Amino acid sequence: MGKKTQHCLLLLLCLSGFFHYSAAFSFWTAKVEISYVNSNNVTVDKICECGVFGRNSPLEQASGIVTLPKGDPKGCGSDPVYNPNNSSLPWIALVGRGNCTFSEKINAAYRQGASGVVVYNVDGTGNNTMQMSHPEGDGIVAIMIGNSQGMEVVNLVKNGTVVQMIIDIGRDHGPWMDTYWLYFLSISFFIVTAASIAYFVFISANRLYNLNMHRRSERKLKSEAKKAIGRLQVRKLKSGDEETNSESNMCAVCLESYKAGEVVTVLTCDHIFHKPCIEPWLLDRRTCPMCKCDILKALGVEEETKEILTANAPPEVTVITVMGGEPMYEVPLTDPTSSDPERLQHHYDNSAFEGDSEAGRR
C-alpha cells in the first residue's frame, strides 16, 4: 500500500473519530406551554414539544412570567435590564439569537434572577431550532425555540399581555449532529475526494510519462542495435563448410540444419545462426540464444541507453521454453500476425549481402 493511500486512510479515520465524537451527543426536546388571557377575556393555553434544551443546560422544569429585555431584544451587553411585572414571582427571559454568545445571554439573565432563558432563532428560520452550546452558562435552564414561536410570544408581551410559560422535559433524541459539524464533515469529504482525484491524475500522468520515455528509449536502443548488427560478420555457406557437413549443426532459432548457399551471421561469441533468424532475435532480446552473451555490449553499444531503458522498462514479456528433448532456448510470446515491421522484417542493414541471400534461396 502506497504512502499516499495510507495518508488518505488516516485522514478518513480521523474524520470518523470526529463524527463519533459529535454523534456521542444526544439532545432533549423541551415541552413549552404558554397561558395568557386574550382581548376577549378568554384564557388561551398552548403547548408544544417545540424547544431544544441547550447542550449545557440542566434537564429541569422551569416556569415563570415571560419577560423581555429592555432595549436590545437579543439580551446582549454587560447587564441587559429586565423588568418583570412582579419581581417576587419567577420569570423567564425571552431573547433573540445573535449579537453575542449564548453564554453571555444566559448569564446576563441569570444574574438578574431569571428562572430560565428561552432563545428564539433568527428571522427567516421559521420554526427551526438547534442545540445551543453555552459552556460558560450552565447553571440555568436554557432552551431554543423557532423564530415564529418566539415572535408570537414577543408580540403578546409587547402588547401588554401577561404570558405564563412552563418549560418541561420532552424526549431524548440522539445522536445529535449540529450544522457546524455537518459543514465540517462535508468540506472534509470534499477535500479528501479532491486529493484522491488529484493523486490518481498524478499517478496516471506519471505512468504515461514513464511509458513514453520507455518507448523513446526502446526506439533509440533499437536504432543503435541495428547499427551494431550491421557490423557483425556475415558469410555465405559453401558445400565444404563444417556447418553443412552434419545435420547436427543447426540454427538454434529455427531448428533447421545449415545448407550450402544460406547466409549466416557470426556473433561475437562465435556462434552462428541464419541471418534472417538471428537479426530479429537480437533486436528483441539482444543476447546470444545459446550462451546469453550480451552482443550489443560486445559491439560497443553505449551503456547509457541501456540504463535508461532498464530504469523505465515495464515487466518482461512472458516466455516459453521450446523443448527438443532438452531445453534449448527461450523465445518471447509474440503475436505472429503483428504488423510491427521491426518484428517481421528480416533484413535491416548489411544490404551488401541481400543479393547473396536471394541467390541462396534460389
Side-chain angles (χ1 to χ4, degrees):
M1 184 182 296
K3 291 184 178 179
K4 293 288 186 180
T5 304
Q6 292 176 350
H7 292 164
C8 289
L9 291 176
L10 181 60
L11 180 56
L12 288 174
L13 288 175
C14 291
L15 294 179
S16 177
F18 284 136
F19 174 81
H20 288 299
Y21 173 77
S22 179
F25 292 105
S26 62
F27 73 99
W28 287 79
T29 55
K31 296 179 181 178
V32 180
E33 180 180 357
I34 60 173
S35 179
Y36 63 92
V37 178
N38 63 15
S39 58
N40 296 323
N41 204 28
V42 176
T43 301
V44 178
D45 294 313
K46 294 183 178 180
I47 185 171
C48 64
E49 191 172 344
C50 51
V52 176
F53 276 95
R55 186 171 297 174
N56 307 98
S57 171
L59 296 176
E60 300 174 358
Q61 186 185 75
S63 62
I65 305 298
V66 177
T67 303
L68 305 179
K70 301 295 183 180
D72 183 9
K74 296 184 179 179
C76 295
S78 58
D79 272 314
V81 177
Y82 291 90
N83 188 18
N85 293 330
N86 189 337
S87 58
S88 62
L89 297 177
W91 57 278
I92 292 178
L94 179 62
V95 297
R97 179 182 177 182
N99 288 358
C100 59
T101 66
F102 294 121
S103 295
E104 291 173 343
K105 297 175 187 293
I106 294 169
N107 283 330
Y110 181 66
R111 284 195 299 266
Q112 297 194 33
S115 60
V117 178
V118 177
V119 180
Y120 58 90
N121 213 341
V122 295
D123 294 339
T125 59
N127 293 325
N128 291 340
T129 58
M130 63 169 288
Q131 187 184 38
M132 301 181 295
S133 178
H134 47 97
E136 298 176 1
D138 56 357
I140 184 173
V141 174
I143 68 169
M144 175 176 279
I145 61 176
N147 178 264
S148 302
Q149 298 149 342
M151 290 305 300
E152 178 184 1
V153 180
V154 167
N155 291 331
L156 288 172
V157 175
K158 285 184 176 181
N159 290 333
T161 303
V162 177
V163 180
Q164 176 75 27
M165 178 179 289
I166 300 175
I167 301 172
D168 205 352
I169 303 172
R171 292 172 297 172
D172 181 16
H173 297 261
W176 168 258
M177 173 83 63
D178 61 29
T179 306
Y180 298 108
W181 279 110
L182 290 176
Y183 287 158
F184 173 78
L185 290 179
S186 299
I187 294 173
S188 300
F189 176 78
F190 173 78
I191 293 174
V192 171
T193 303
S196 301
I197 294 175
Y199 175 68
F200 173 78
V201 171
F202 171 77
I203 291 298
S204 300
N206 188 56
R207 288 180 178 176
L208 289 175
Y209 173 78
N210 289 337
L211 180 60
N212 187 45
M213 290 297 296
H214 168 69
R215 288 174 177 173
R216 291 183 180 181
S217 301
E218 179 74 19
R219 286 195 296 267
K220 184 176 180 180
L221 185 58
K222 283 190 175 183
S223 177
E224 295 293 330
K226 288 179 183 179
K227 298 177 183 178
I229 292 172
R231 300 202 304 269
L232 292 173
Q233 179 185 356
V234 179
R235 63 188 179 91
K236 185 177 180 180
L237 297 177
K238 300 177 182 179
S239 57
D241 290 341
E242 179 183 354
E243 290 82 3
T244 61
N245 293 335
S246 173
E247 292 186 357
S248 61
N249 294 325
M250 63 177 61
C251 174
V253 178
C254 65
L255 302 181
E256 294 288 339
S257 299
Y258 297 111
K259 299 177 183 178
E262 293 181 331
V263 179
V264 296
T265 298
V266 182
L267 302 188
T268 57
C269 55
D270 294 330
H271 291 129
I272 67 171
F273 306 90
H274 288 126
K275 179 177 180 290
C277 298
I278 194 59
E279 287 186 351
W281 174 279
L282 292 179
L283 284 174
D284 189 52
R285 300 302 293 268
R286 304 177 183 95
T287 58
C288 174
M290 299 183 67
C291 66
K292 303 300 181 182
C293 174
D294 190 336
I295 304 302
L296 300 187
K297 182 177 180 181
L299 291 172
V301 176
E302 294 185 7
E303 291 298 321
E304 293 182 0
T305 306
K306 297 184 70 178
E307 289 176 1
I308 295 174
L309 178 63
T310 303
N312 296 326
E316 295 184 356
V317 296
T318 307
V319 297
I320 61 172
T321 302
V322 178
M323 305 296 292
E326 294 181 357
M328 295 187 63
Y329 63 94
E330 293 180 338
V331 296
L333 290 177
T334 55
D335 185 0
T337 64
S338 173
S339 59
D340 187 350
E342 294 185 349
R343 291 185 178 275
L344 298 179
Q345 184 178 348
H346 293 296
H347 305 285
Y348 295 93
D349 300 292
N350 289 332
S351 57
F353 295 97
E354 293 297 329
D356 294 338
S357 178
E358 293 293 334
R361 283 195 289 274
R362 292 194 188 98

